[in-house]
Amino acid sequence: EVQLAESGGGSVQVGSSLRLSCIVSGFTFGDSDMGWYRQAPGNECELVSGISSGGDVYYVDSVKGRFTISQDNAKNTLNLQMNNLKPEDTAVYYCGAIPFVIEGMPTGCAKELGYWGQGTQVTVSS
């Protein structure tokens, strides 16, 4: 059984840091694109950061320079270090193992294409 389990969310002040972790079981890193997604009330779900199966790294523009994604293959863990958090980072963050692109088109948050965690809440207050 494939499982993705996120942890590390919380409520913090502007400028603080959080580290999200996703422990993956049931499949091997490298077999899938892996990413961190977020969904805020009233906003579309978006891919925040990801590592493709080929090792390419992606960040959405709004988090570049503040967030760092990493992957520990030995521990089957995907991490997201989030620094200098802003109120607009408030969202539920999900770990996902779905293709980033299919036939040249971004897949967005198409959970039906792969595996998805339960999510962890990140709240940033000013």
Tab-separated table of all heavy atoms in Angstrom, residues 61-98:
chain	number	residue	atom	x	y	z
A	61	ASP	N	7.217	30.890	-8.531
A	61	ASP	CA	7.940	32.160	-8.376
A	61	ASP	C	7.795	32.768	-6.981
A	61	ASP	O	8.745	33.344	-6.443
A	61	ASP	CB	7.453	33.171	-9.423
A	61	ASP	CG	7.973	32.877	-10.811
A	61	ASP	OD1	8.909	32.056	-10.945
A	61	ASP	OD2	7.439	33.465	-11.775
A	62	SER	N	6.631	32.625	-6.386
A	62	SER	CA	6.364	33.300	-5.108
A	62	SER	C	7.191	32.761	-3.942
A	62	SER	O	7.257	33.398	-2.891
A	62	SER	CB	4.876	33.211	-4.759
A	62	SER	OG	4.485	31.861	-4.647
A	63	VAL	N	7.825	31.606	-4.112
A	63	VAL	CA	8.600	31.028	-2.998
A	63	VAL	C	10.094	30.939	-3.310
A	63	VAL	O	10.874	30.526	-2.447
A	63	VAL	CB	8.081	29.635	-2.590
A	63	VAL	CG1	6.592	29.677	-2.316
A	63	VAL	CG2	8.434	28.572	-3.614
A	64	LYS	N	10.482	31.321	-4.497
A	64	LYS	CA	11.901	31.247	-4.869
A	64	LYS	C	12.746	32.092	-3.921
A	64	LYS	O	12.407	33.228	-3.615
A	64	LYS	CB	12.101	31.712	-6.305
A	64	LYS	CG	11.629	30.706	-7.341
A	64	LYS	CD	11.850	31.217	-8.761
A	64	LYS	CE	11.363	30.198	-9.779
A	64	LYS	NZ	11.506	30.685	-11.172
A	65	GLY	N	13.834	31.515	-3.449
A	65	GLY	CA	14.712	32.203	-2.516
A	65	GLY	C	14.306	32.042	-1.063
A	65	GLY	O	15.064	32.407	-0.160
A	66	ARG	N	13.112	31.503	-0.813
A	66	ARG	CA	12.636	31.319	0.563
A	66	ARG	C	12.444	29.847	0.917
A	66	ARG	O	12.655	29.449	2.067
A	66	ARG	CB	11.302	32.048	0.765
A	66	ARG	CG	11.373	33.536	0.518
A	66	ARG	CD	10.075	34.239	0.935
A	66	ARG	NE	8.916	33.788	0.156
A	66	ARG	CZ	7.841	33.232	0.686
A	66	ARG	NH1	7.755	33.044	1.990
A	66	ARG	NH2	6.833	32.877	-0.104
A	67	PHE	N	12.027	29.046	-0.035
A	67	PHE	CA	11.759	27.633	0.203
A	67	PHE	C	12.840	26.790	-0.466
A	67	PHE	O	13.332	27.126	-1.547
A	67	PHE	CB	10.408	27.221	-0.383
A	67	PHE	CG	9.206	27.779	0.327
A	67	PHE	CD1	9.299	28.800	1.257
A	67	PHE	CD2	7.942	27.289	0.029
A	67	PHE	CE1	8.183	29.311	1.895
A	67	PHE	CE2	6.810	27.776	0.649
A	67	PHE	CZ	6.933	28.794	1.585
A	68	THR	N	13.166	25.668	0.175
A	68	THR	CA	14.125	24.726	-0.389
A	68	THR	C	13.575	23.314	-0.264
A	68	THR	O	13.227	22.880	0.843
A	68	THR	CB	15.482	24.809	0.333
A	68	THR	OG1	15.978	26.138	0.276
A	68	THR	CG2	16.484	23.866	-0.320
A	69	ILE	N	13.517	22.635	-1.382
A	69	ILE	CA	13.040	21.258	-1.376
A	69	ILE	C	14.235	20.311	-1.369
A	69	ILE	O	15.284	20.609	-1.940
A	69	ILE	CB	12.129	20.983	-2.598
A	69	ILE	CG1	11.378	19.659	-2.422
A	69	ILE	CG2	12.922	21.008	-3.901
A	69	ILE	CD1	10.279	19.447	-3.463
A	70	SER	N	14.079	19.194	-0.679
A	70	SER	CA	15.146	18.199	-0.658
A	70	SER	C	14.523	16.808	-0.543
A	70	SER	O	13.380	16.653	-0.121
A	70	SER	CB	16.119	18.451	0.496
A	70	SER	OG	15.459	18.354	1.739
A	71	GLN	N	15.330	15.848	-0.899
A	71	GLN	CA	14.847	14.476	-0.934
A	71	GLN	C	15.897	13.573	-0.312
A	71	GLN	O	17.064	13.652	-0.668
A	71	GLN	CB	14.599	14.098	-2.403
A	71	GLN	CG	14.034	12.740	-2.670
A	71	GLN	CD	13.702	12.596	-4.150
A	71	GLN	OE1	12.840	13.292	-4.682
A	71	GLN	NE2	14.389	11.688	-4.810
A	72	ASP	N	15.505	12.757	0.631
A	72	ASP	CA	16.408	11.804	1.268
A	72	ASP	C	15.991	10.418	0.810
A	72	ASP	O	15.027	9.842	1.332
A	72	ASP	CB	16.324	11.945	2.793
A	72	ASP	CG	17.354	11.098	3.507
A	72	ASP	OD1	17.767	10.051	2.960
A	72	ASP	OD2	17.738	11.463	4.630
A	73	ASN	N	16.700	9.891	-0.163
A	73	ASN	CA	16.312	8.605	-0.738
A	73	ASN	C	16.458	7.465	0.259
A	73	ASN	O	15.675	6.511	0.244
A	73	ASN	CB	17.144	8.318	-1.984
A	73	ASN	CG	16.790	9.241	-3.126
A	73	ASN	OD1	15.718	9.837	-3.164
A	73	ASN	ND2	17.713	9.390	-4.073
A	74	ALA	N	17.444	7.566	1.130
A	74	ALA	CA	17.656	6.498	2.109
A	74	ALA	C	16.495	6.403	3.084
A	74	ALA	O	16.156	5.313	3.561
A	74	ALA	CB	18.965	6.733	2.864
A	75	LYS	N	15.885	7.543	3.390
A	75	LYS	CA	14.774	7.568	4.342
A	75	LYS	C	13.425	7.701	3.653
A	75	LYS	O	12.396	7.796	4.324
A	75	LYS	CB	14.967	8.728	5.324
A	75	LYS	CG	16.217	8.609	6.183
A	75	LYS	CD	16.330	9.780	7.146
A	75	LYS	CE	17.578	9.649	8.012
A	75	LYS	NZ	17.722	10.797	8.955
A	76	ASN	N	13.425	7.729	2.324
A	76	ASN	CA	12.188	7.907	1.560
A	76	ASN	C	11.391	9.104	2.067
A	76	ASN	O	10.182	9.023	2.335
A	76	ASN	CB	11.334	6.644	1.620
A	76	ASN	CG	11.430	5.831	0.339
A	76	ASN	OD1	12.396	5.943	-0.408
A	76	ASN	ND2	10.423	5.032	0.074
A	77	THR	N	12.099	10.219	2.207
A	77	THR	CA	11.487	11.416	2.771
A	77	THR	C	11.679	12.593	1.829
A	77	THR	O	12.774	12.807	1.300
A	77	THR	CB	12.110	11.752	4.135
A	77	THR	OG1	11.922	10.629	5.008
A	77	THR	CG2	11.449	12.967	4.750
A	78	LEU	N	10.605	13.356	1.653
A	78	LEU	CA	10.638	14.594	0.880
A	78	LEU	C	10.440	15.738	1.857
A	78	LEU	O	9.489	15.718	2.641
A	78	LEU	CB	9.526	14.600	-0.166
A	78	LEU	CG	9.494	15.799	-1.115
A	78	LEU	CD1	10.638	15.697	-2.119
A	78	LEU	CD2	8.160	15.869	-1.839
A	79	ASN	N	11.354	16.704	1.825
A	79	ASN	CA	11.300	17.799	2.779
A	79	ASN	C	11.098	19.130	2.070
A	79	ASN	O	11.468	19.298	0.909
A	79	ASN	CB	12.609	17.866	3.576
A	79	ASN	CG	12.894	16.589	4.318
A	79	ASN	OD1	12.071	16.121	5.108
A	79	ASN	ND2	14.063	16.003	4.075
A	80	LEU	N	10.514	20.076	2.807
A	80	LEU	CA	10.383	21.438	2.299
A	80	LEU	C	10.743	22.388	3.433
A	80	LEU	O	9.995	22.502	4.410
A	80	LEU	CB	8.974	21.713	1.800
A	80	LEU	CG	8.787	23.074	1.126
A	80	LEU	CD1	9.566	23.129	-0.196
A	80	LEU	CD2	7.311	23.370	0.880
A	81	GLN	N	11.889	23.021	3.312
A	81	GLN	CA	12.301	24.038	4.278
A	81	GLN	C	11.714	25.365	3.840
A	81	GLN	O	11.982	25.827	2.725
A	81	GLN	CB	13.830	24.119	4.340
A	81	GLN	CG	14.359	25.176	5.277
A	81	GLN	CD	14.046	24.880	6.722
A	81	GLN	OE1	14.155	23.737	7.168
A	81	GLN	NE2	13.658	25.894	7.479
A	82	MET	N	10.928	25.967	4.709
A	82	MET	CA	10.242	27.217	4.380
A	82	MET	C	10.742	28.309	5.311
A	82	MET	O	10.527	28.240	6.522
A	82	MET	CB	8.730	27.041	4.515
A	82	MET	CG	8.173	25.866	3.723
A	82	MET	SD	6.370	25.790	3.730
A	82	MET	CE	6.060	25.503	5.467
A	83	ASN	N	11.423	29.277	4.752
A	83	ASN	CA	11.961	30.395	5.523
A	83	ASN	C	11.241	31.686	5.161
A	83	ASN	O	10.608	31.788	4.109
A	83	ASN	CB	13.454	30.556	5.250
A	83	ASN	CG	14.260	29.343	5.681
A	83	ASN	OD1	13.898	28.638	6.629
A	83	ASN	ND2	15.366	29.093	4.983
A	84	ASN	N	11.359	32.668	6.051
A	84	ASN	CA	10.760	33.983	5.813
A	84	ASN	C	9.306	33.853	5.364
A	84	ASN	O	8.887	34.412	4.344
A	84	ASN	CB	11.581	34.748	4.763
A	84	ASN	CG	11.183	36.191	4.653
A	84	ASN	OD1	10.608	36.758	5.580
A	84	ASN	ND2	11.478	36.800	3.517
A	85	LEU	N	8.538	33.133	6.158
A	85	LEU	CA	7.151	32.873	5.792
A	85	LEU	C	6.323	34.145	5.783
A	85	LEU	O	6.546	35.070	6.585
A	85	LEU	CB	6.550	31.842	6.748
A	85	LEU	CG	6.997	30.395	6.472
A	85	LEU	CD1	6.773	29.522	7.682
A	85	LEU	CD2	6.272	29.855	5.261
A	86	LYS	N	5.365	34.172	4.873
A	86	LYS	CA	4.482	35.324	4.692
A	86	LYS	C	3.036	34.875	4.872
A	86	LYS	O	2.715	33.689	4.707
A	86	LYS	CB	4.677	35.890	3.277
A	86	LYS	CG	6.099	36.312	2.960
A	86	LYS	CD	6.222	36.795	1.529
A	86	LYS	CE	7.649	37.220	1.219
A	86	LYS	NZ	7.787	37.732	-0.170
A	87	PRO	N	2.147	35.809	5.179
A	87	PRO	CA	0.726	35.432	5.343
A	87	PRO	C	0.167	34.716	4.113
A	87	PRO	O	-0.678	33.821	4.255
A	87	PRO	CB	0.042	36.778	5.581
A	87	PRO	CG	1.094	37.626	6.222
A	87	PRO	CD	2.380	37.222	5.552
A	88	GLU	N	0.637	35.084	2.942
A	88	GLU	CA	0.119	34.449	1.718
A	88	GLU	C	0.596	33.015	1.547
A	88	GLU	O	0.150	32.312	0.624
A	88	GLU	CB	0.486	35.271	0.478
A	88	GLU	CG	1.948	35.632	0.358
A	88	GLU	CD	2.259	37.021	0.915
A	88	GLU	OE1	1.699	37.397	1.975
A	88	GLU	OE2	3.085	37.733	0.274
A	89	ASP	N	1.477	32.563	2.424
A	89	ASP	CA	1.880	31.148	2.417
A	89	ASP	C	0.892	30.274	3.193
A	89	ASP	O	1.015	29.053	3.190
A	89	ASP	CB	3.272	30.983	3.034
A	89	ASP	CG	4.361	31.650	2.220
A	89	ASP	OD1	4.334	31.563	0.980
A	89	ASP	OD2	5.251	32.277	2.839
A	90	THR	N	-0.057	30.913	3.859
A	90	THR	CA	-1.043	30.160	4.628
A	90	THR	C	-1.858	29.261	3.706
A	90	THR	O	-2.448	29.723	2.727
A	90	THR	CB	-1.980	31.125	5.378
A	90	THR	OG1	-1.217	31.847	6.347
A	90	THR	CG2	-3.097	30.371	6.071
A	91	ALA	N	-1.890	27.976	4.033
A	91	ALA	CA	-2.579	27.000	3.194
A	91	ALA	C	-2.445	25.625	3.832
A	91	ALA	O	-1.666	25.441	4.783
A	91	ALA	CB	-1.989	26.970	1.795
A	92	VAL	N	-3.174	24.673	3.286
A	92	VAL	CA	-2.906	23.276	3.587
A	92	VAL	C	-1.894	22.786	2.561
A	92	VAL	O	-2.085	22.959	1.359
A	92	VAL	CB	-4.181	22.413	3.521
A	92	VAL	CG1	-3.842	20.950	3.804
A	92	VAL	CG2	-5.217	22.923	4.515
A	93	TYR	N	-0.818	22.217	3.059
A	93	TYR	CA	0.255	21.737	2.197
A	93	TYR	C	0.154	20.217	2.069
A	93	TYR	O	0.011	19.506	3.070
A	93	TYR	CB	1.619	22.128	2.767
A	93	TYR	CG	1.940	23.589	2.543
A	93	TYR	CD1	1.261	24.581	3.246
A	93	TYR	CD2	2.912	23.982	1.630
A	93	TYR	CE1	1.538	25.924	3.033
A	93	TYR	CE2	3.205	25.316	1.412
A	93	TYR	CZ	2.507	26.287	2.119
A	93	TYR	OH	2.793	27.620	1.907
A	94	TYR	N	0.249	19.769	0.837
A	94	TYR	CA	0.133	18.349	0.537
A	94	TYR	C	1.406	17.852	-0.140
A	94	TYR	O	2.007	18.556	-0.960
A	94	TYR	CB	-1.035	18.090	-0.412
A	94	TYR	CG	-2.383	18.472	0.117
A	94	TYR	CD1	-2.903	19.741	-0.110
A	94	TYR	CD2	-3.151	17.562	0.829
A	94	TYR	CE1	-4.151	20.099	0.369
A	94	TYR	CE2	-4.405	17.908	1.309
A	94	TYR	CZ	-4.903	19.176	1.073
A	94	TYR	OH	-6.143	19.510	1.550
A	95	CYS	N	1.742	16.646	0.178
A	95	CYS	CA	2.809	15.942	-0.521
A	95	CYS	C	2.145	15.084	-1.603
A	95	CYS	O	1.172	14.375	-1.322
A	95	CYS	CB	3.557	15.067	0.488
A	95	CYS	SG	4.830	14.018	-0.196
A	96	GLY	N	2.662	15.153	-2.814
A	96	GLY	CA	2.046	14.408	-3.901
A	96	GLY	C	3.059	13.704	-4.775
A	96	GLY	O	4.171	14.213	-4.972
A	97	ALA	N	2.672	12.574	-5.261
A	97	ALA	CA	3.487	11.814	-6.218
A	97	ALA	C	2.651	11.651	-7.479
A	97	ALA	O	1.982	10.625	-7.684
A	97	ALA	CB	3.879	10.463	-5.634
A	98	ILE	N	2.644	12.698	-8.289
A	98	ILE	CA	1.910	12.685	-9.547
A	98	ILE	C	2.794	13.310	-10.614
A	98	ILE	O	3.673	14.118	-10.298
A	98	ILE	CB	0.566	13.445	-9.451
A	98	ILE	CG1	0.796	14.941	-9.146
A	98	ILE	CG2	-0.340	12.828	-8.413
A	98	ILE	CD1	-0.485	15.756	-9.198
